[in-house]
């Protein structure tokens, strides 16, 4: 579809000409960039992890614009973005981030919908009207009075979108909005975004590492590389049709149990509502066991129970590797305590006995050598994920507990993570992975447990699980295609010998 057909001639939502941006004391992230987004477009933005997508999107909303030096022209509607307007809020630009927990600020759904309107000084009559409108449009009425900490991940992300839409923006900017959503929640969220674009005429720009899920909604696509944007053919972003085959050479079918949960029950903090209700799990030594299910089904809670972070109200967890385990939480920032990437990788060197060559090798494998002097919080989300995994693998654990290890990663970064985990498992170690990435599950898992209604609904091999499901399916995407060429004599294997 020609995006110029979506709006009157010459109506431009975003215009950039020779625009450059650099963080203090750093090389330019964006360099001589040109960009034009016609009003009414639904544009996808792709690019490798750390290419600057988040930086560019944040520059569109002055309230979120990062500190740094900018040159050239960047205009949103008729407003030029400059250092002088940094920190000011532009209600014409809505922004939705990857993590809803980082964006939600109120303890109840109705208050979250009204919060932005209150800050803008909207009168009570108009506020009530707008809250009622967006609650109805997004189907929020049934959970309108709930606490935000009781919502699923999909509901939280939809609430973020609805709260921004209550401000009636003309441009909606989203940074990896579906990275933490299960396949069903992802489809529901994208349908809501599609309606905003087509029915309400809001211009949409989405940065994503999962373009194949959004191709049918988009009108155009661009790729950010080397600080510049270039057009991308939408058809080239579609997933392939070839079946995704397992990469495991020796699938673990039987063997000793490494970690086990027996009829455990765990409730939400300060409530009697159970997240897990008599849930059981047995993980065999030397296997990769995947936990799947909808947002809010209890995957993270079960992972924390296995790690000993949460204590069940009822039931028992037996973990023979408790003293030799490593746990990667959903937010990798919680592992960072140092002022540079290099210091993070060296933090446990004395306690675990690895060498300078070891941590430098991991930095090289995850393409972090050029980032060693940066503060970990200055990395992109994908780079933070890889840094956290490298830091844990340096400790040589025998049990690895991973919560969404490929979220927010481009295909190359995801394949780097998957290759590292594959070599780790093939060396005889054990992993439990909570994930929404069905391609990762099919490629690497020995067993899949589906969680539903607080319980383990079933446990099967990936082939058995994917043979009879219509919502959970591996995709022949760029990540899967890259993994087809994995060699077992690869750069990771020697790490675990």
């Amino acid at each position: 579809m020609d995006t110029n057909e979506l709006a009157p001639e010459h109506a431009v939502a975003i215009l950039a000409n020779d625009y450059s941006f650099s963080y203090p004391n750093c090389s330019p992230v964006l360099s001589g960039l040109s960009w034009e987004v016609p009003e009414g477009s639904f544009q996808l933005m792709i690019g490798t992890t750390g290419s600057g997508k988040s930086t560019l999107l944040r520059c569109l909303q002055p309230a979120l614009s990062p500190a740094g030096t900018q040159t050239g022209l960047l205009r949103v509607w008729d407003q030029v973005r400059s250092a002088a307007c940094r920190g000011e809020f532009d209600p014409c630009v809505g922004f939705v981030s990857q993590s809803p927990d980082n964006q939600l600020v109120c303890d109840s759904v109705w208050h979250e919908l009204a919060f932005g309107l209150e800050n803008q000084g909207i009168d009570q009559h108009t506020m009530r009207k707008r809250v009622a409108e967006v609650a109805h449009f997004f189907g929020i009425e049934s959970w309108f009075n709930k606490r935000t900490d009781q919502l699923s991940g999909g509901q939280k992300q939809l609430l973020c979108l609805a709260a921004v839409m209550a401000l009636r923006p003309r441009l909606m900017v989203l940074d990896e909005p579906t990275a933490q959503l299960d396949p069903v929640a992802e489809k529901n969220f994208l349908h809501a975004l599609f309606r905003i674009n087509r029915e309400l005429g809001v211009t949409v720009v989405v940065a994503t590492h999962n373009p194949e899920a959004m191709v049918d909604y988009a009108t155009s696509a661009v790729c950010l590389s080397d600080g510049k944007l270039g057009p991308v053919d939408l058809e080239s972003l579609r997933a392939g049709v070839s079946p995704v085959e397992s990469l495991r050479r020796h699938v673990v079918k039987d063997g000793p149990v490494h970690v086990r949960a027996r009829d455990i029950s765990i409730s939400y903090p300060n409530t009697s509502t159970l997240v897990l209700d008599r849930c059981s799990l047995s993980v065999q030594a030397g296997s990769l066991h995947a936990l799947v299910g909808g947002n809010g089904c209890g995957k993270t809670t079960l992972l924390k129970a296995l790690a000993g972070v949460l204590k069940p109200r009822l039931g028992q967890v037996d973990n023979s590797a408790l003293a030799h385990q490593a746990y990667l939480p959903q937010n990798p920032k919680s592992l960072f305590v140092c002022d540079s990437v290099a210091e993070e990788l060296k933090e446990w060197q004395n306690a675990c006995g690895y060498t300078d060559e070891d941590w430098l090798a991991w930095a090289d494998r995850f393409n972090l050598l050029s980032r060693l002097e940066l503060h970990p919080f200055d990395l992109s989300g994908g780079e933070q994920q890889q840094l956290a995994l490298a830091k844990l693998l340096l400790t040589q654990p025998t049990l690895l507990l991973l919560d969404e290890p490929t979220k927010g990663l481009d295909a190359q970064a995801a394949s780097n993570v998957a290759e590292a985990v594959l070599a780790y498992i093939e060396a005889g170690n054990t992993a439990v992975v909570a994930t929404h990435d069905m391609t990762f599950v099919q490629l690497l898992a020995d067993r899949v447990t589906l969680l539903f209604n607080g319980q383990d609904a079933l446990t099967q091999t990936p082939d058995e699980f994917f043979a009879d499901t219509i919502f959970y399916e591996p995709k022949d995407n760029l990540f899967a295609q890259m993994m087809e060429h994995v060699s077992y004599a690869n750069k990771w294997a020697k790490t675990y010998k």
Side-chain angles (χ1 to χ4, degrees):
M1 180 184 294
D2 185 352
T3 55
N4 290 313
E5 296 176 2
L6 297 174
E9 190 176 3
H10 305 308
V12 177
I14 302 171
L15 179 65
N17 184 23
D18 197 27
Y19 182 73
S20 299
F21 179 89
S22 59
Y23 288 98
N25 304 316
C26 294
S27 301
V29 179
L30 309 172
S31 179
L33 179 146
S34 295
W35 188 21
E36 184 173 314
V37 180
E39 182 178 12
S41 298
F42 190 125
Q43 186 171 96
L44 306 182
M45 182 184 295
I46 62 173
T48 58
T49 298
S51 61
K53 299 185 299 298
S54 297
T55 297
L56 178 55
L57 294 187
R58 288 183 176 273
C59 287
L60 299 173
Q61 172 53 270
L64 301 174
S65 183
T69 302
Q70 53 183 311
T71 59
L73 173 69
L74 178 62
R75 192 180 75 202
V76 180
W77 307 114
D78 59 349
Q79 299 294 315
V80 175
R81 298 302 188 233
S82 66
C85 66
R86 181 173 175 265
E88 299 176 1
F89 178 72
D90 184 354
C92 289
V93 181
F95 191 95
V96 176
S97 66
Q98 178 183 130
S99 173
D101 289 324
N102 291 340
Q103 187 160 347
L104 296 175
V105 295
C106 299
D107 59 0
S108 63
V109 171
W110 71 265
H111 198 185
E112 186 68 33
L113 292 173
F115 181 76
L117 299 171
E118 291 174 340
N119 282 351
Q120 291 299 299
I122 304 297
D123 65 86
Q124 286 287 330
H125 177 77
T126 302
M127 190 186 307
R128 288 176 181 272
K129 180 180 179 181
R130 290 198 189 180
V131 168
E133 283 180 339
V134 295
H136 181 63
F137 184 87
F138 291 101
I140 291 175
E141 295 105 319
S142 62
W143 39 282
F144 182 76
N145 292 307
K146 275 193 171 184
R147 292 178 53 87
T148 53
D149 60 6
Q150 294 178 334
L151 302 181
S152 70
Q155 289 173 323
K156 287 179 179 179
Q157 196 68 302
L158 196 63
L159 175 58
C160 288
L161 183 62
V164 171
M165 279 305 300
L167 295 169
R168 304 219 175 143
R170 298 170 65 193
L171 170 65
M172 182 66 73
V173 179
L174 305 99
D175 190 3
E176 289 288 348
T178 63
Q180 298 188 33
L181 302 186
D182 67 74
V184 176
E186 177 186 54
K187 288 182 173 64
N188 291 338
F189 182 87
L190 290 177
H191 180 67
L193 196 57
F194 176 75
R195 290 185 63 202
I196 287 172
N197 174 247
R198 296 302 200 272
E199 296 178 20
L200 305 181
V202 176
T203 304
V204 173
V205 177
V206 186
T208 181
H209 291 308
N210 185 28
E212 59 271 7
M214 306 183 190
V215 168
D216 289 333
Y217 304 105
T219 60
S220 61
V222 290
C223 178
L224 183 58
S225 178
D226 297 325
K228 293 179 172 60
L229 282 172
V232 176
D233 178 16
L234 279 173
E235 290 303 310
S236 70
L237 301 178
R238 293 188 182 277
V241 295
S242 300
V244 180
E245 304 292 342
S246 174
L247 293 176
R248 292 303 309 275
R249 290 183 300 175
H250 308 293
V251 176
V252 177
K253 296 182 179 180
D254 298 298
V257 174
H258 212 151
V259 57
R260 187 196 306 271
R262 304 172 188 264
D263 294 322
I264 64 171
S265 296
I266 299 177
S267 60
Y268 287 109
N270 304 317
T271 73
S272 59
T273 304
L274 291 175
V275 185
L276 298 177
D277 183 9
R278 294 166 295 167
C279 180
S280 296
L281 183 77
S282 294
V283 179
Q284 293 170 320
S287 72
L288 190 149
H289 200 119
L291 307 177
V292 303
N295 288 104
C297 70
K299 299 186 297 297
T300 295
T301 300
L302 178 55
L303 209 60
K304 288 181 176 180
L306 298 179
V309 176
L310 289 178
K311 184 176 181 180
R313 288 175 52 184
L314 299 172
Q316 180 178 337
V317 172
D318 300 313
N319 183 348
S320 61
L322 196 60
H324 304 283
Q325 68 176 19
Y327 169 52
L328 177 65
Q330 201 167 107
N331 182 2
K333 288 183 178 180
S334 61
L335 292 179
F336 302 149
V337 296
C338 301
D339 292 329
S340 72
V341 171
E343 289 172 357
E344 288 291 351
L345 292 172
K346 292 188 289 185
E347 188 198 355
W348 298 325
Q349 187 171 6
N350 291 334
C352 298
Y354 54 84
T355 67
D356 287 343
E357 290 75 15
D358 291 332
W359 70 260
L360 282 168
W362 277 108
D364 184 30
R365 290 163 187 148
F366 283 131
N367 300 312
L368 294 172
L369 285 178
S370 63
R371 302 286 200 264
L372 292 179
E373 300 307 314
L374 291 181
H375 193 285
F377 285 16
D378 291 333
L379 300 178
S380 72
E383 289 171 330
Q384 289 175 351
Q385 192 81 348
Q386 293 174 90
L387 172 60
L389 181 58
K391 185 174 181 178
L392 294 178
L393 289 174
L394 278 165
T395 68
Q396 294 283 339
T398 58
L399 173 64
L400 196 56
L401 303 161
L402 305 175
D403 199 349
E404 295 290 352
T406 59
K407 77 173 189 301
L409 300 184
D410 65 79
Q412 182 61 66
S415 65
N416 280 344
V417 167
E419 284 188 53
V421 174
L422 175 62
Y424 174 84
I425 298 300
E426 291 289 337
N429 297 298
T430 307
V432 185
V433 182
T435 184
H436 296 308
D437 188 342
M438 297 301 114
T439 302
F440 181 94
V441 172
Q442 173 62 19
L443 289 170
L444 302 187
D446 296 286
R447 289 285 187 278
V448 185
T449 292
L450 174 66
L451 298 184
F452 175 73
N453 197 31
Q455 298 180 336
D456 50 306
L458 58 86
T459 297
Q460 295 177 317
T461 66
D463 287 341
E464 292 169 340
F465 180 76
F466 292 123
D468 186 29
T469 177
I470 58 175
F471 296 117
Y472 297 97
E473 58 180 2
K475 296 177 181 177
D476 181 27
N477 52 22
L478 185 57
F479 165 45
Q481 293 158 17
M482 285 184 169
M483 292 299 292
E484 287 178 359
H485 306 292
V486 169
S487 167
Y488 285 93
N490 63 32
K491 59 185 177 181
W492 309 99
K494 63 182 180 180
T495 307
Y496 306 108
K497 288 182 179 178

